[in-house]
Amino acid sequence: MSKLWCLGLIISVSLVVSGCSSNKVLTETTMYQQYPSVEELKNQLANAKSQEVDIFSPEAFEKANESYQEAVKLASKDNPKGEVIARDGLSQLTAANTNARQARDILEEVLTARSKSIAAGANVRESSDFKEIEEELLDLTMMIEAGKLDKAKDGRADVFKAYQQLELVSLKGNTVEQAEDALANARKRDVDDLAPKTLRLAQEEYQLALNVLDADRSDTA
């Protein structure tokens, strides 16, 4: 009986030790050392996001990101399947980068207008409207990603004009806002009674500034 009891104790201890080892969690450093593809996927995802691949190929980028999350869960528990899933994620990210290059080519003029609107501060000054147009841009990139190229090309003009209009609104605000405020303040102080000709000239110059920007939005001087 004592031998059987000892044998049972040994088996029990072995099971406990085995269970503990299967539940061990690796540190991040150790995990990346043992499963290098997981770290590579992490770095490539960060680089892709900095280049807005998540906008130009949203579906493929999201799949790669989901693969990374799953790979980390497995690799952190020392499960070799994490490395396999990370490699899948790298393949998905390669596809995302390819899709993004195609989207940038097709939407070149739209993206130029987008960059100009951002340079004018529209993404901050007119943030709500800017976000709406960004959603429209995302619709186009999703069409391209899905192979609906003709439909995406048909939608380019509207998004292009929307970015241009937002740029103009922001430029007008940035360039003539102080003059507009000064005119309003002058009227409150009844300057139109004290210096009507000067105020009228200021109003004409203000309107001229608006007209100039309508004609050439780059002529902010």
Side-chain angles (χ1 to χ4, degrees):
M1 288 293 292
S2 61
K3 289 183 178 180
L4 288 174
W5 184 84
C6 289
L7 180 60
L9 181 61
I10 292 171
I11 293 172
S12 297
V13 171
S14 297
L15 289 173
V16 170
V17 172
S18 176
C20 290
S21 64
S22 64
N23 290 325
K24 71 176 180 179
V25 177
L26 302 179
T27 65
E28 186 175 77
T29 301
T30 302
M31 177 186 69
Y32 288 147
Q33 286 175 345
Q34 292 187 202
Y35 304 105
S37 293
V38 180
E39 184 175 24
E40 184 180 357
L41 179 56
K42 174 192 175 184
N43 294 336
Q44 287 198 25
L45 278 168
N47 183 58
K49 191 169 181 64
S50 71
Q51 297 179 37
E52 298 188 316
V53 174
D54 56 323
I55 293 176
F56 300 119
S57 183
E59 186 174 342
F61 181 89
E62 182 57 28
K63 285 181 179 178
N65 188 54
E66 289 174 355
S67 292
Y68 172 70
Q69 300 300 330
E70 183 63 22
V72 168
K73 287 180 183 179
L74 293 167
S76 65
K77 295 178 181 178
D78 204 13
N79 188 331
K81 192 176 179 182
E83 181 77 357
V84 176
I85 292 178
R87 289 172 187 162
D88 289 341
L90 289 168
S91 296
Q92 291 158 349
L93 197 55
T94 297
N97 285 319
T98 299
N99 292 339
R101 283 193 291 271
Q102 183 182 36
R104 289 190 187 97
D105 287 341
I106 293 174
L107 302 174
E108 183 177 2
E109 290 186 353
V110 174
L111 298 180
T112 297
R114 177 177 183 256
S115 296
K116 288 182 177 179
S117 72
I118 291 173
N123 57 323
V124 176
R125 189 181 185 88
E126 310 292 335
S127 60
S128 180
D129 290 337
F130 185 82
K131 286 178 181 177
E132 287 185 14
I133 303 173
E134 288 284 275
E135 288 296 326
E136 293 177 20
L137 173 64
L138 195 62
D139 287 340
L140 294 182
T141 61
M142 290 175 71
M143 289 177 197
I144 294 170
E145 194 173 30
K148 301 176 182 177
L149 303 186
D150 289 339
K151 190 173 181 180
K153 290 176 181 178
D154 289 342
R156 288 180 299 189
D158 289 340
V159 180
F160 173 78
K161 290 176 183 176
Y163 277 125
Q164 277 199 324
Q165 182 60 31
L166 203 59
E167 179 200 4
L168 180 58
V169 169
S170 189
L171 281 174
K172 283 182 176 179
N174 292 335
T175 305
V176 302
E177 190 175 68
Q178 288 184 338
E180 189 175 45
D181 289 344
L183 285 168
N185 187 50
R187 293 190 190 94
K188 287 180 181 179
R189 294 173 178 271
D190 297 323
V191 173
D192 50 341
D193 293 332
L194 300 172
K197 291 183 180 179
T198 303
L199 187 62
R200 186 166 57 250
L201 179 61
Q203 178 64 45
E204 290 173 356
E205 293 288 349
Y206 165 74
Q207 188 58 52
L208 178 60
L210 294 179
N211 294 340
V212 166
L213 285 173
D214 283 331
D216 181 4
R217 58 177 52 85
S218 67
D219 191 6
T220 55

